[in-house]
Amino acid sequence: MQRPESELVELSDVVDARYGGKALGLARLAAAGFSVPAAFVIAKADAAGLPAGLEARHARLAGPDGPVAVRSSASGEDGAESSFAGQYESVLGVRGYGELLAAIRHCAASASSERATAYRSAAGISGAMHLVVQEMVDARAAGVVFTADPASGRRDLCVVDAVPGLAESLVDGSASSDHYEVDRAGRIVDRQVAPSPALADDEVMAVVAGARDAEARWGTPLDLEWAIDRAGEIRWLQARPITTLPGDLDEMDSTVAGEDHVYTRCNIGEMMPGAFCPLTASVSGRAIEYAMQMVQVTAGFQDSYREDRWLQLGYFSGHLFLNMTEGTALSSGILGNSLEQYSLSIAGRVVDELVPKPPKPFARRLVNTVRLTAFALSAGRAIRRLDRDLARFEAPSAAEPAALLAELDAATGLYDAATLTHVRSSARSAVAANVLEQTLTREAVRANRDEDEGRSQAAALMAGAADVESAVMLEHLDDVVGRLAADSAEAEAFLGSDAAGAVIRLTGAGGPAGRTFDEFLRRHGHRGYRELCMRDPSWADDPEGLGTIMQAMLRARLLTGDAVRTSPSPQEGVSRAVRVMARLARAGARGREATKSRMVLVAHRLGHGYRLLGERLAATGRLPDADLVFFFDRSELPALVGVGDAGDLIDRAEARRAALPYQARLEFPDVCVGKPVPARPKPPEGIEDGVIAGRSACGGVVEGTVRVAATITQARELRPGEVLVAPVTDVGWTPYFTLIAALVTDIGSSVSHGAVVAREYGVPCVVNTRGATRVLHTGDRVRVDGDRGTVTLLEHAPASS
């Protein structure tokens, strides 16, 4: 076979990727005016057939003995899909024509190496080997810069790694580099450097500015190599797309309602924990947005519902946030609700970043207060109307995708109504709970006692509500576990199976345990972890998750013999007025939990409907798989169901799906001014002498071993008697309350899910620690004081934990 003819190509003549990505990157940098060391390309390099004029061209580049670098630029290398990093050889410091020939042979031969051949085969790439011969830079410092963080996927960060001298020690891993992360505002937000850094801060910023300029010209995030010569000039040695990035984490972000608006994950993070797919944001998120806007409309703070705007919430980097600035309309527009009270109820602290809105005239505030109070207290009528609508509601199930989408669109109206009803019920619950807490706190202060004692007493009085949905659900599941425990053969079989198999075997099996379990699924099967997510499974759809929980409960029951027991509300020494307020608070909690269950039922059926839509579209070849349907905005679905080309839309959905795991790892400050930006976690406030300060949600003092569980999956490792430390809990965590000695959460309030259920079962609970999950570690020993709202670290976990 005839070998391809090798030739010399000037960098200025490289206009596309035919000579490899490295040559094209250098050519584009040079054409854009970046300082690029002089270079030429050997096309179709082959040691057996060198191009004519090579010796003369080398002499013009480097003179008789000037050093050059010989680098591969093979077809497909440093492209948008594959980097080929480290697959081919480069040779630096080449002096003289003889060394150049040896370097060319070495680099050309690397194309036939086993590792390069395997990489090309896996990537489905074939083509010629080209080489770049480039003037060497006498570098004082060198390194790489990424215009997006390849580790986190964040495109708002530039990552710079630098070493003294040449960058090869950085690339081959033989030297530890200085590391900088720079945000789009030009701030160095993280640095890890040697005592004598390779770069000054202004040089870091100059590298970042050049990289951002190149990124803007390319239109995509880049990985660039650079060097600073002895004269202080930045020389650019390579530019290539970052091939490992997921989709843009911010692609689906909502518009900020105001640059000075204060957003928080507190409160909304309890209902919507973690990152969510775009369909969930455009269905569940918009339902919550609708409900909260309608509260503002009812109270006279807003003229009408704005379907085109996110006002009360925001959707950023896959997470939902509460807009506290919009919420301050309540504190300025009604009686008896100050900005401080509003801040405490949402974030657990006075939010200094919040700017109060000018107070309305007294008469206007009085009218607004009456209207809002009547709206909250009349939730009963709305609940009865919702129940009638739910009785007629059938899960969307049409055979044709277009008809199914029409059914889903119609059902979102019911979801909006159910969410508004839940918000009304929650407002009724919060009013009673806040009045009770404020009353007892004032009484404690007047009696020269600590405010925490008043809060603890209020928490105790809110316990004992009959028929609270979360508690009833736990009782029903515990009843199933008790029936399994009562039959040793059933218990052995259940524990001897894998988690999913145990639940599948029990479903429809008959017998006391089987019938009780079927009833549990009928009444509570729509509940679960992150239960407003259109994509995540409910308990009925997740036999492995539910089975894992039940097996843990069964082991604990066999070990201790204990069933769950409700904790009665203490009544001794309490005035009649306080007892009435406590009764109203308990009734409010009961109503709040009941309407949440109705709301989740609609979400559950919608989620099933959207999954069915995905299956219908996948069956016709319109989607590559059913799950991808959850990565479209609801407004995009008509185009997907239509007959036009949806290729670009599907590509974007694939990128969003790849981005979700990265979004899930992001953490945010408890409050942000303007667009929320992820931040590196900081130690929480309120820590002094090993004591973490939070808010009391259920009294009692216990000592125990910590189990930190950032996710429901990690909670599966819980052992009986441990102290559960979690960011937040929702209904999906409820069954684990049968195992724990105490509950500690990062966020939350006295009416949070965790607080409500903890009170029903007398589990000491401290909420709103604002970071206990970052301070404590699994295996630590702590004292949880639910009366004072504190967690004291007694002993660090053993090193082997």
Side-chain angles (χ1 to χ4, degrees):
M1 181 180 294
Q2 186 176 3
R3 294 179 182 275
E5 185 176 344
S6 182
E7 61 178 324
L8 295 178
V9 179
E10 295 302 321
L11 206 57
S12 58
D13 294 329
V14 177
V15 295
D16 55 32
R18 74 184 70 181
Y19 304 116
K22 188 176 276 96
L24 178 61
L26 286 171
R28 293 185 68 179
L29 285 170
F34 288 79
S35 179
V36 175
F40 63 88
V41 179
I42 302 175
K44 304 168 188 173
D46 189 320
L50 296 173
L54 175 61
E55 186 172 7
R57 184 64 185 88
H58 171 253
R60 290 203 311 274
L61 177 69
D65 196 38
V68 298
V70 180
R71 302 176 188 271
S72 62
S73 184
S75 298
E77 183 180 4
D78 291 343
E81 302 298 328
S82 303
S83 70
F84 276 80
Q87 302 304 314
Y88 300 129
E89 297 292 341
S90 296
V91 182
L92 306 182
V94 175
R95 294 181 180 274
Y97 189 62
E99 287 190 14
L100 175 66
L101 296 180
I104 291 171
R105 286 193 294 269
H106 181 71
C107 293
S110 69
S112 302
S113 70
E114 184 177 347
R115 70 183 183 190
T117 301
Y119 188 98
R120 281 197 307 273
S121 176
I125 294 172
S126 61
M129 166 64 86
H130 315 289
L131 299 176
V132 172
V133 180
Q134 187 174 33
E135 171 193 3
M136 284 283 294
V137 176
D138 183 14
R140 174 175 58 78
V144 295
V145 55
F146 295 89
T147 62
D149 181 4
S152 69
R154 289 177 57 181
R155 302 190 183 203
D156 61 317
L157 292 180
C158 252
V159 177
V160 179
D161 286 288
V163 294
L166 295 173
E168 291 310 302
S169 61
L170 170 63
V171 175
D172 65 21
S174 62
S176 179
S177 65
D178 296 333
H179 179 84
Y180 302 86
E181 295 178 10
V182 182
D183 66 14
R184 288 198 178 272
R187 296 172 299 209
I188 298 176
V189 295
D190 186 48
R191 71 172 78 219
Q192 301 168 33
V193 300
S196 298
L199 299 179
D201 283 2
D202 61 335
E203 291 175 321
V204 174
M205 303 314 300
V207 169
V208 168
R212 287 288 190 206
D213 184 11
E215 177 188 52
R217 295 171 188 271
W218 258 258
T220 189
L222 296 176
D223 160 9
L224 303 101
E225 290 186 22
W226 53 270
I228 298 179
D229 63 22
R230 300 293 171 180
E233 182 180 7
I234 300 175
R235 314 295 301 277
W236 297 94
L237 310 179
Q238 180 172 303
R240 61 190 180 192
I242 303 175
T243 59
T244 57
L245 279 182
D248 186 351
L249 307 191
D250 299 343
E251 184 215 345
M252 304 299 290
D253 283 6
S254 59
T255 302
V256 176
E259 292 300 327
D260 60 346
H261 281 216
V262 176
Y263 288 89
T264 183
R265 281 285 294 150
C266 298
N267 188 271
I268 189 69
E270 299 175 50
M271 180 180 282
M272 303 287 288
F276 288 87
C277 59
L279 187 61
T280 293
S282 59
V283 177
S284 291
R286 287 304 310 187
I288 299 170
E289 172 72 27
Y290 165 80
M292 295 181 69
Q293 280 198 42
M294 290 307 297
V295 171
Q296 299 279 342
V297 171
T298 300
F301 308 135
Q302 187 174 318
D303 293 334
S304 61
Y305 170 57
R306 295 287 304 277
E307 188 175 6
D308 60 328
R309 295 287 304 278
W310 288 85
L311 296 175
Q312 301 298 318
L313 301 181
Y315 180 57
F316 304 105
S317 301
H319 297 253
L320 283 165
F321 292 79
L322 180 67
N323 186 342
M324 293 187 72
T325 299
E326 288 293 321
T328 58
L330 292 174
S331 57
S332 64
I334 63 175
L335 300 174
N337 188 358
S338 67
L339 184 69
E340 290 74 17
Q341 290 172 323
Y342 171 69
S343 296
L344 286 168
S345 68
I346 298 296
R349 67 176 177 91
V350 175
V351 178
D352 296 327
E353 297 88 343
L354 265 181
V355 178
K357 293 186 176 181
K360 303 291 184 184
F362 176 81
R364 176 71 180 276
R365 284 186 288 149
L366 179 60
V367 170
N368 290 345
T369 302
V370 171
R371 292 174 64 179
L372 193 59
T373 302
F375 185 66
L377 295 180
S378 62
R381 288 197 298 271
I383 293 171
R384 291 189 291 274
R385 184 167 57 250
L386 175 62
D387 284 342
R388 290 194 295 271
D389 292 339
L390 282 174
R392 296 191 295 268
F393 176 49
E394 295 184 5
S397 59
E400 292 299 319
L404 178 54
L405 180 59
E407 289 182 356
L408 288 163
D409 285 342
T412 58
L414 178 60
Y415 194 22
D416 289 347
T419 306
L420 178 57
T421 302
H422 175 59
V423 168
R424 292 174 70 174
S425 178
S426 297
R428 181 173 63 179
S429 169
V431 167
N434 288 339
V435 169
L436 176 64
E437 183 174 299
Q438 291 169 17
T439 299
L440 292 175
T441 300
R442 284 196 299 268
E443 287 184 0
V445 171
R446 281 198 297 267
N448 294 320
R449 293 183 284 117
D450 192 271
E451 288 186 358
D452 286 339
E453 292 188 36
R455 294 191 185 99
S456 178
Q457 186 181 11
L461 286 169
M462 282 189 280
D467 296 328
V468 171
E469 183 72 16
S470 296
V472 169
M473 182 168 50
L474 181 53
E475 290 173 5
H476 287 177
L477 188 57
D478 192 62
D479 188 21
V480 177
V481 171
R483 292 176 187 275
L484 286 170
D487 186 325
S488 58
E490 283 277 5
E492 183 178 355
F494 193 85
L495 293 176
S497 302
D498 64 272
V503 165
I504 293 170
R505 175 180 167 276
L506 186 61
T507 305
R515 287 191 296 271
T516 306
F517 182 63
D518 290 343
E519 176 61 19
F520 169 83
L521 289 180
R522 186 194 67 78
R523 178 165 175 177
H524 307 294
H526 62 287
R527 307 304 297 269
Y529 179 55
R530 287 163 45 97
E531 51 194 1
L532 298 184
C533 179
M534 295 291 106
R535 184 184 185 223
D536 285 5
S538 68
W539 280 335
D541 302 323
D542 183 20
E544 181 181 1
L546 183 56
T548 301
I549 292 171
M550 292 177 64
Q551 285 179 335
M553 292 175 66
L554 179 56
R555 290 189 186 97
R557 173 67 74 90
L558 294 173
L559 181 67
T560 66
D562 292 337
V564 296
R565 293 288 182 268
T566 58
S567 176
S569 173
Q571 300 293 323
E572 293 183 5
V574 177
S575 69
R576 184 177 177 220
V578 168
R579 285 200 301 272
V580 169
M581 282 187 282
R583 187 166 63 250
L584 291 173
R586 293 193 296 271
R590 182 168 55 247
R592 173 176 176 265
E593 291 283 313
T595 55
K596 175 70 177 293
S597 182
R598 292 168 170 87
M599 175 187 173
V600 171
L601 178 60
V602 182
H604 172 72
R605 291 179 179 173
L606 278 172
H608 274 204
Y610 283 115
R611 186 167 293 280
L612 182 61
L613 177 63
E615 291 170 355
R616 301 264 197 266
L617 292 171
T620 63
R622 189 68 171 171
L623 280 181
D625 61 84
D627 178 69
L628 196 62
V629 75
F630 297 107
F631 293 89
F632 296 90
D633 186 89
R634 184 180 158 219
S635 65
E636 297 172 332
L637 292 179
L640 183 65
V641 169
V643 296
D645 181 18
D648 181 62
L649 198 58
I650 289 170
D651 288 344
R652 294 205 302 272
E654 293 272 22
R656 295 166 191 166
R657 180 161 62 181
L660 185 62
Y662 289 81
Q663 293 171 324
R665 293 195 289 268
L666 298 178
E667 295 190 33
F668 296 85
D670 64 337
V671 297
C672 302
V673 179
K675 180 180 176 179
V677 176
R680 290 188 174 277
K682 297 180 180 178
E685 299 176 17
I687 299 176
E688 186 175 344
D689 298 329
V691 177
I692 302 171
R695 290 175 67 84
S696 170
C698 183
V701 180
V702 298
E703 294 184 5
T705 301
V706 165
R707 174 70 60 178
V708 177
T711 66
I712 192 72
T713 302
Q714 293 175 4
R716 294 175 181 178
E717 301 299 320
L718 268 166
R719 298 292 179 265
E722 290 185 326
V723 173
L724 173 59
V725 180
V728 64
T729 65
D730 67 1
V731 165
W733 299 72
T734 299
Y736 289 113
F737 283 50
T738 64
L739 306 179
I740 61 177
L743 173 66
V744 178
T745 64
D746 287 344
I747 61 177
S749 68
S750 61
V751 293
S752 300
H753 164 267
V756 170
V757 179
R759 285 195 294 270
E760 296 314 304
Y761 296 102
V763 175
C765 179
V766 176
V767 299
N768 207 54
T769 60
R770 298 167 61 197
T773 55
R774 298 195 300 270
V775 173
L776 299 175
H777 302 87
T778 295
D780 288 347
R781 189 159 183 81
V782 297
R783 179 187 301 115
V784 179
D785 190 334
D787 298 320
R788 291 180 170 79
T790 61
V791 182
T792 304
L793 177 60
L794 302 176
E795 184 180 344
H796 287 289
S800 59
S801 292

